[in-house]
Structure formats: C-alpha cells, structure tokens
Amino acid sequence: MSTFKYINEEISGTEGEESDYDSSDFIGYHESPRSPRLINYAIGRGIIGSFKGHSVGSGNLGDCDSYQSSNRKSSKIINDVIHGHMEVPDYIMDFIDTEQFQRLRDLKQLGTTNFVFPCASHSRFEHSIGVSHLAGKYIDRIKATQPELDITEREQKFVRIAGLCHDLGHGPFSHAFESWVDQLGDGKRFHHEEMSIKMLNWIIDEQGLDEYDTDDIKYISSLIQGKHRPKERAFIYDIVANNRNSVDVDKFDYLSRDSYYLGRSTVCDFQRLMEFSKVIDDQICFCSKEIYNLYELFHTRYSLHKLVYTHKVGKSIEFMVADALTEADHFLKISEQLDDPKEFINLSDSLLRRIETSKEPELEKSRKIIKNIRNRNLYKFVDEIIVSADKIKWSADSLAKDIANEGNGILESDIIVQNLKLNYAFKDKDPVQSTKFYTRYDSTQSFRIKKEETSHLIPNQFQEERIRIFCRSKEKCEQVQTAFRKLLVNHNLTPNPSFTVSPARYIKK
C-alpha cells in the first residue's frame, strides 16, 4: 500500500479555492454583510431568463427596456445570490453550454469542507460565472471612466472568457486532488491552470468557435495563468489572476461566496475596491483611503484558510479521500487520466460515489475508507505547533519516521505529517506593499504607502508555518502524541497544551 504520509501545503498565490439553492422567485434588497451598500440579490436557483434584443448593464435592472445595444448580441440574465442579476453575453453562453463547463456543477468549491460546514456545498460552476461577471464589470468600468486607455471589445471579451474558464481544470475535491497527485511520486505533477487551458482549447475546437485564432487562445490562456505579462497593457492581467499583488476578481468572488455559504460576515468591501481604482502607469491602482480595505481583504482570506479551509477535521477527511484514491488508483487508473482532457473530464466529486457503490473486489480497501468517512470514523488529529523556519531541525518527510522510531508499536504508515503555511497570499511578503495608490486630489500620480503609515496594528509577519500530526489509528493517537512531544522537547520546542490528548501525559522538559 502506498500511503499518504505527509504533505507540504502552502496557502498562497491567487486562487481558490458554488451552491445548492432553494427554488424561489423572491427578489429583494438586502443589507450585505460584506458591504454597507444595498445590494440586489435573489434567494433562488440561478433563474435564467432571456431578454431578446436587450442588453442589461450594471445599472438599474428595471431599465432593461430603456436601451438596446447595437454592437452586442442578445444576452441572458442569471440571478445570483452574491451579485444579483448578472448579464451573460451569448459568447459566454457558448462556453457555459458545454459538457466541459457543466462538469463544474459536480465539483464542490471547498472540497471536503462541507463535511464539517454542511451549508458550504456550493460548486465551481456558479463561482466561475461570478468571476466572469466581475471581470466584465471591472473592465467595462475602466473603459467607461478612462476612455484614453482605448480598451477594445476584444479585450473586454477575452477578460470575461478568462474569468469564466479559469477553473475548468480542477480535479475531484479541487485543491486536494493536486495535493494527492503530488504525493504519488514518479515525478507526477498536476496544475489545474494547465488543464483549464487544455479544456479551453477543447471547447473551442469541439464547438467550432472559429472566431478564436491561435493568438486569441494564447492571450486568454495567459490571462488565466496570470503569466507572461507584457510591458504594455499589463493592467489587463491585474483583473482575473493578478500575480503582481494577488488582488483580483477571483478572490473577490470566492471570499464573498464562501463567506455567504459558511454563514460568516466579511468586512472587506470589494465593490469599493473596484469603484475606487484606476489604471496608472499600466497597472491598476487604488485610492489611498482604500488601503485598510485591502488589508481586510487579505486578512479575510487568511482567516478563512485558518478557520475553515484547513480545519483539522476537514483535512482529516481530505487525507482519507486521498488514501481512498490511492487504493483505487491501480484499478481505476485515475493517475493516468491527468494529461488528456477527454479522459480527465470524467473525474469529478462523483468519483467517491463511484467507488462507494462499486462491487469490484479490487476496490474493497477504498470502499472501507469511504465507509469510515460516512460513519464518522475519521483519522485523528494529534497535535499542532507553530514553528519558525530557523527552529525546524527535521524535514517534513522524515518526521513520520522519527515519531515512529521514538514510540513503541507505532508504524510510519500510522502517521500523517502536514507542513502547513498560512499567509496573505504572497508567501512571507506583504502584498499591499506591491500595490500602488493615488489620492483624490491627484489621480495622475501613483505611489506606495508604508504599512507603518496605515496602522501600527498591521502584522509585521505575513506568513506562519505549522506542523500538524494526524494518526490513522484511533488506538495509537496518544502514543503518537507522546512520541511527537518527546521530539519537540529534544528540539527545544514547546507543545501546545490545548491539544494535549491526556493532561496526565503532558511532557515537560
């Protein structure tokens, strides 16, 4: 058995990591927990209507009969719980109405998190539509307020498509799938952005969308990856996947959407960030009074990762899913479906159900793991410490072996080590220091603002490292903790008493 022994997990970069709605036609105004503004939203199942001959902008939705766009096709309207009525142009529907995009309905946005937070069962389908909507809204606003930039319809169109297709390549249980592939060995690696581009090419070829040539596809692909930023018109790359400072509409949508379904309020107002921004020196800059709003954006992200996305029970279930996939891989050949999008399309969260309802004896071990998940017989969280890089005297892949050697009757395969890094999406750096600002009195010049000039309560450190220990055997949980804490004492590290399995066994130096 090739066991899932350890994982190095760094929560940084531009992501990502939506919903089972009740069918309802109620539409109203609500004081948003994310913003003091009134937003129009509906508690309904993404009601789609067709407004023939009309284009609905971001203004008053009741005025859809007041004008008709002469240069845009008929659009459809999707009613979303986060953004209200979203206009979806026909060229976006060309991508939505495909099997490749519809597959996103079967991928939960938060992977195994809904096993802990039951209402967080939204999918990447609605998230992707939301990102496309915000991307279009953002670039449309920039074009309207800064006509001197000469933003073309082609750029507006491609930004929307990039926002829509940026998550097409996610595997079952989203980011957990990438972690599972990484631990398989044999040099296997999987990056969902690369598969998203393969899916994009497949859609264009299969649907006969001849209006997109090779250069167009390369441009959309670079917007999805946030790479290969040109020297000119680089601000376009700040919208969907911003590798410059990690402030982008992908983050705006998933932080708002995840918080909504988790029942959490957010203090960051992304609508203000979009409203009080402009392009200066080929990059999107923000009004200086929004600097603390930006810090709130990144702190919200950190809080969700710390309290929700990396919840110890959710991670325990994630490790069990990984073990189930490992046990099933020799029979289902999951790891052999990572290169060809025509095979990869069959991989979704339904894979767990496929294994669970199988009869093949080759899947018996995998079925047993999934049954334990259903019966809540989970891997046990053992211990956790926060460490500084200069205090770590071992590597994550050797720690399981050290614990097994320190204890009695403990096998290396009993232990899972998670090396977790939590940050502000920019590794150990302050992302706001990579952002430029302007003032209300002079919007032609951009500048940076030191965090000390914003508040003395902003953190001085922007990344924390944690080592977590999980045990596959409930009976060996205390033994594993005792062995791990002996190692901590040997390395002059203090264990966290709040995680002590048995206070009487607390080990002091």
Side-chain angles (χ1 to χ4, degrees):
M1 170 180 171
S2 175
T3 57
F4 191 72
K5 186 167 64 177
Y6 66 89
I7 175 173
N8 293 319
E9 187 168 358
E10 181 172 332
I11 311 301
S12 60
T14 56
E15 302 164 347
E17 278 265 314
E18 320 128 273
S19 172
D20 291 334
Y21 304 116
D22 294 329
S23 180
S24 171
D25 292 336
F26 174 77
I27 299 176
Y29 284 93
H30 179 67
E31 181 75 62
S32 169
R34 295 163 298 281
S35 167
R37 299 178 176 201
L38 290 174
I39 62 170
N40 187 357
Y41 77 97
I43 302 192
R45 186 185 248 319
I47 305 164
I48 299 179
S50 181
F51 286 68
K52 299 298 182 184
H54 298 288
S55 175
V56 181
S58 57
N60 186 351
L61 293 170
D63 294 335
C64 60
D65 291 328
S66 63
Y67 73 98
Q68 178 173 345
S69 174
S70 60
N71 57 356
R72 179 169 284 182
K73 299 178 182 178
S74 300
S75 63
K76 289 191 176 181
I77 302 298
I78 295 180
N79 202 7
D80 179 59
V81 297
I82 303 300
H83 307 303
H85 291 86
M86 303 185 298
E87 177 189 9
V88 184
D90 276 8
Y91 64 82
I92 292 296
M93 294 304 302
D94 288 340
F95 290 87
I96 292 178
D97 293 337
T98 64
E99 59 177 327
Q100 294 87 348
F101 190 84
Q102 293 293 320
R103 167 182 169 272
L104 297 182
R105 292 181 184 271
D106 297 325
L107 295 180
K108 288 185 174 63
Q109 174 77 6
L110 300 186
T112 60
T113 299
N114 79 302
F115 284 96
V116 183
F117 300 89
C119 293
S121 58
H122 50 299
S123 75
R124 292 200 173 268
F125 179 83
E126 52 264 38
H127 163 64
S128 297
I129 296 176
V131 174
S132 178
H133 167 73
L134 287 181
K137 183 178 178 180
Y138 207 175
I139 195 169
D140 288 352
R141 181 194 170 279
I142 294 173
K143 181 176 182 177
T145 57
Q146 294 185 264
E148 70 276 6
L149 294 175
D150 294 324
I151 294 175
T152 66
E153 289 187 8
R154 174 179 178 270
E155 289 171 325
Q156 292 174 280
K157 183 176 182 179
F158 291 171
V159 163
R160 279 183 178 268
I161 295 173
L164 184 78
C165 298
H166 76 287
D167 274 351
L168 282 177
H170 266 296
F173 300 98
S174 297
H175 293 285
F177 186 76
E178 296 182 54
S179 299
W180 173 74
V181 174
D182 288 346
Q183 60 86 37
L184 287 177
D186 299 327
K188 287 186 179 295
R189 288 291 182 269
F190 178 79
H191 300 286
H192 74 271
E193 295 92 349
E194 295 176 2
M195 180 55 71
S196 294
I197 293 169
K198 291 180 181 180
M199 288 283 195
L200 172 68
N201 278 273
W202 183 18
I203 292 175
I204 290 173
D205 290 342
E206 185 176 68
Q207 298 299 317
L209 303 178
D210 298 331
E211 62 265 38
Y212 306 104
D213 59 27
T214 302
D215 290 338
D216 295 338
I217 298 173
K218 286 182 178 179
Y219 184 51
I220 297 171
S221 299
S222 65
L223 292 177
I224 290 174
Q225 293 180 309
K227 298 178 179 178
H228 312 298
R229 295 171 66 99
K231 292 183 179 180
E232 296 182 355
R233 308 192 73 71
F235 70 91
I236 301 291
Y237 290 72
D238 288 346
I239 297 176
V240 175
N242 187 351
N243 285 345
R244 183 173 58 81
N245 59 19
S246 199
V247 181
D248 51 47
V249 295
D250 179 27
K251 195 169 277 78
F252 294 166
D253 185 90
Y254 83 72
L255 291 179
S256 299
R257 194 172 299 276
D258 293 354
S259 296
Y260 179 89
Y261 287 104
L262 289 164
R264 296 174 58 89
S265 61
T266 60
V267 292
C268 170
D269 186 352
F270 72 86
Q271 295 283 6
R272 281 186 62 92
L273 291 176
M274 295 173 65
E275 184 73 21
F276 294 100
S277 64
K278 66 176 301 183
V279 176
I280 304 174
D281 297 331
D282 220 18
Q283 63 179 262
I284 294 179
C285 305
F286 298 92
C287 184
S288 57
K289 64 181 181 178
E290 296 305 310
I291 185 169
Y292 199 75
N293 197 13
L294 280 173
Y295 277 112
E296 290 288 4
L297 172 76
F298 290 109
H299 186 75
T300 297
R301 179 189 179 277
Y302 164 77
S303 296
L304 285 174
H305 275 285
K306 183 177 175 63
L307 301 176
V308 179
Y309 305 155
T310 62
H311 190 283
K312 61 189 180 194
V313 178
K315 297 306 291 187
S316 173
I317 295 173
E318 182 179 309
F319 296 143
M320 295 182 76
V321 170
D323 282 351
L325 295 182
T326 298
E327 292 292 351
D329 190 40
H330 71 284
F331 182 72
L332 296 180
K333 310 297 181 185
I334 302 167
S335 61
E336 297 179 12
Q337 303 176 51
L338 306 180
D339 297 320
D340 186 353
K342 294 182 180 179
E343 293 188 11
F344 183 80
I345 193 174
N346 297 314
L347 300 179
S348 68
D349 291 359
S350 62
L351 181 60
L352 214 63
R353 194 65 177 163
R354 157 72 177 92
I355 297 171
E356 187 176 16
T357 58
S358 66
K359 303 297 182 183
E360 296 91 343
E362 294 87 349
L363 296 176
E364 183 178 355
K365 289 183 179 180
S366 187
R367 283 196 298 270
K368 184 177 180 180
I369 295 173
I370 298 173
K371 184 177 181 179
N372 282 335
I373 294 176
R374 301 299 187 195
N375 293 333
R376 215 65 176 182
N377 183 20
L378 308 178
Y379 295 164
K380 294 301 177 182
F381 169 79
V382 175
D383 220 333
E384 176 182 76
I385 59 168
I386 301 177
V387 297
S388 300
D390 58 346
K391 289 186 178 181
I392 299 178
K393 305 299 181 181
W394 55 73
S395 59
D397 57 347
S398 66
L399 183 53
K401 183 178 180 180
D402 292 343
I403 295 173
N405 291 338
E406 189 70 42
N408 295 319
I410 302 174
L411 301 176
E412 198 175 333
S413 59
D414 292 330
I415 303 162
I416 298 173
V417 178
Q418 181 191 20
N419 194 345
L420 176 65
K421 295 180 181 179
L422 298 171
N423 50 46
Y424 270 28
F426 224 52
K427 295 189 176 180
D428 59 348
K429 297 180 176 58
D430 178 358
V432 180
Q433 295 306 305
S434 296
T435 306
K436 289 190 174 182
F437 299 87
Y438 63 91
T439 68
R440 290 178 293 173
Y441 312 105
D442 184 1
S443 61
T444 63
Q445 300 295 321
S446 64
F447 54 90
R448 302 187 193 279
I449 302 177
K450 296 178 180 179
K451 69 181 182 66
E452 294 81 7
E453 298 170 345
T454 304
S455 171
H456 290 297
L457 298 182
I458 294 172
N460 292 317
Q461 188 171 329
F462 292 90
Q463 179 167 273
E464 65 181 30
E465 298 186 27
R466 294 171 176 263
I467 291 179
R468 282 174 160 184
I469 309 297
F470 294 82
C471 184
R472 289 184 171 88
S473 171
K474 183 187 301 184
E475 293 74 20
K476 297 182 181 181
C477 187
E478 287 191 32
Q479 294 171 261
V480 170
Q481 185 179 80
T482 299
F484 176 60
R485 294 195 167 191
K486 285 181 180 179
L487 288 175
L488 294 183
V489 170
N490 294 339
H491 290 84
N492 296 317
L493 294 171
T494 304
N496 188 334
S498 65
F499 296 135
T500 303
V501 176
S502 174
R505 294 177 179 270
Y506 182 75
I507 300 170
K508 296 183 179 179
K509 186 174 179 181

